[in-house]
Amino acid sequence: MSDTAIAAGRGHFVTFEGGEGAGKSTQIERLRKRLHGAGVDVVVTREPGGSPGAETIRRLLLGGRIKELGPEMEAMMFAAARADHVDTTIEPALRRGDWVLCDRFADSTRVYQGEAGVDTAFLDRLEALAVAGCRPDLTVLIDVPADVGIARVAARSSTGSAPQPDRFETEGENVQDRRRRMFLELAASQPERFLVVDGMQTPDAVEQEIWRAVSARLLQAEEEAWR
Ligand code: TMP
């Protein structure tokens, strides 16, 4: 985000990415509390979903209804949901000066649909259409080995603390391992935007690391812009 945008009182956009069972929801809630404590207005949202139209598309995607139409169609549906989410929820919040914490965003399409074989140039075009210039200021990638993530999802489902695994969570360890590598490659290619956190640490340690980065990269930058 440019200094002009900060000076105009625009909020910050922070996305969380990672494989299944990385612990994104826990950390989003912890960051929300910390920001709230620092006097910041925060909107927490998620993808696919985050607006009424996008939540309708979410049910189709996660229920597996689109799977039989192929990965390109799935990528287009994720993009359609994202376009509505950006227009209806994210952009208005940022314009109000709120911070937006989003559970998954365009990087998930790059990784999940890219891994499923969708062409990169096609994904570039879809992303440009869907995000319309609305890009994260910071992306937190919580990295855990595929087998650990899979075990965490299974444990959540068996205790009833989460719904049954969705269409993407049921894929095998090889697929989840390839997604993990793709996330790490994406992060390495854009170090100025990504913070990669080791999700094998305790939740408290992960929280501290995220808070340090948010304070250093976004809160301090904002204070300096106002000075
Ligand atoms: P969740 O389990 O984090 O709520 O995410 C929903 C699932 O949808 C998750 O398995 C990842 C998948 N997904 C994609 O395949 N492409 C996308 O663009 C997004 C946002 C999610």
Side-chain angles (χ1 to χ4, degrees):
M1 177 174 297
S2 71
D3 288 349
T4 328
I6 291 167
R10 193 179 159 87
H12 289 294
F13 183 24
V14 182
T15 58
F16 283 72
E17 298 281 1
E20 313 301 334
K24 292 181 282 96
S25 320
T26 305
Q27 294 302 330
I28 288 172
E29 178 52 19
R30 288 178 178 223
L31 180 58
R32 187 198 65 74
K33 280 199 185 130
R34 286 213 186 224
L35 285 168
H36 184 72
V40 172
D41 288 324
V42 185
V43 170
V44 171
T45 187
R46 66 167 179 188
E47 289 212 344
S51 64
E55 288 290 332
T56 302
I57 299 177
R58 177 186 175 92
R59 286 191 286 280
L60 297 174
L61 281 163
L62 299 197
R65 301 277 293 281
I66 312 295
K67 183 180 181 186
E68 65 206 47
L69 304 177
E72 277 80 13
M73 180 62 104
E74 278 188 321
M76 285 192 276
M77 295 293 276
F78 277 112
R82 181 160 305 127
D84 190 63
H85 184 211
V86 166
D87 269 6
T88 319
T89 305
I90 299 176
E91 269 295 338
L94 293 173
R95 276 200 300 270
R96 282 197 303 272
D98 294 355
W99 285 49
V100 175
L101 307 185
C102 188
D103 190 340
R104 299 195 183 280
F105 195 61
D107 299 310
S108 278
T109 305
R110 297 252 152 215
V111 167
Y112 280 72
Q113 282 61 58
E115 191 282 328
V118 181
D119 175 63
T120 307
F122 182 71
L123 290 177
D124 286 345
R125 290 207 299 278
L126 276 183
E127 182 173 313
L129 280 172
V131 311
C134 179
R135 304 210 176 260
D137 301 298
L138 174 69
T139 297
V140 178
L141 172 60
I142 306 182
D143 177 54
V144 292
D147 58 337
V148 172
I150 290 169
R152 286 183 186 172
V153 170
R156 274 197 316 235
S157 306
S158 70
T159 59
S161 63
Q164 286 308 300
D166 64 45
R167 171 244 174 291
F168 296 93
E169 288 171 334
T170 48
E171 275 159 331
E173 193 173 323
N174 285 349
V175 172
Q176 310 234 22
D177 193 50
R178 278 200 299 277
R179 290 176 186 155
R180 179 190 186 200
R181 284 168 208 287
M182 289 173 76
F183 269 127
L184 289 171
E185 279 167 21
L186 200 54
S189 72
Q190 297 176 52
E192 66 296 339
R193 171 163 71 90
F194 273 92
L195 167 75
V196 182
V197 185
D198 177 3
M200 296 297 283
Q201 304 175 88
T202 63
D204 286 352
V206 173
E207 177 186 345
Q208 291 282 354
E209 209 174 318
I210 294 172
W211 182 242
R212 267 200 304 275
V214 166
S215 314
R217 294 194 197 189
L218 301 181
L219 282 172
Q220 277 172 24
E222 190 159 339
E223 277 166 18
E224 277 160 23
W226 281 103
R227 251 183 239 137

